[in-house]
Amino acid sequence: MENQKKPSRQQVYTLLVQIGRKDGDGLPDGATGAALMCFASGVDEAEAVRETVAILKQADTAPLDVTGYGTLAEREAQGHDIDADERALMQRALDENAVIVAQMTPFFGDGEQG
């Protein structure tokens, strides 16, 4: 009898994570924190959030808040414009069962973003 792989229930979720400062976080000098756009796989958004927060903590960052924007299908239904690069990163997150940080925008004390 052949082992057939069950279809994966994993989906990729788009998450915006705000992080604060922590020693060794790798943020630029003068930054007060940052926003990270992440693509994370999970069977549901709650799992994707938990995994993302755990990985970011392991990477010496200080996650403060997570906003979920849903799956690719949910974002398309909302009319989001999703380019080929973003789709490729989402597929990579799914294929590797991983959290991908797609973009990092540092925040500075004067309210300006870098």
Side-chain angles (χ1 to χ4, degrees):
M1 187 168 157
E2 289 183 35
N3 286 339
Q4 289 188 349
K5 191 174 178 183
K6 290 183 181 179
S8 176
R9 294 183 11 220
Q10 297 285 111
Q11 295 189 73
V12 175
Y13 295 86
T14 300
L15 305 173
L16 180 66
V17 183
Q18 292 185 28
I19 61 171
R21 291 308 312 248
K22 183 177 177 186
D23 285 344
D25 61 15
L27 293 177
D29 289 343
T32 58
L36 306 177
M37 180 64 70
C38 301
F39 302 121
S41 65
V43 295
D44 57 25
E45 193 168 78
E47 180 186 56
V49 168
R50 284 191 303 272
E51 291 295 322
T52 300
V53 168
I55 288 190
L56 291 174
K57 284 181 177 179
Q58 287 177 358
D60 284 334
T61 66
L64 302 174
D65 186 57
V66 180
T67 302
Y69 289 93
T71 63
L72 175 61
E74 291 167 342
R75 290 184 58 204
E76 287 174 329
Q78 295 169 13
H80 292 199
D81 184 26
I82 304 165
D83 66 28
D85 290 341
E86 199 171 343
R87 289 174 188 275
L89 289 172
M90 291 172 147
Q91 187 60 51
R92 181 176 166 204
L94 184 62
D95 292 345
E96 297 177 8
N97 189 25
V99 174
I100 306 287
V101 177
Q103 182 177 351
M104 189 269 296
T105 304
F107 298 130
F108 295 92
D110 57 9
E112 289 184 24
Q113 297 177 5

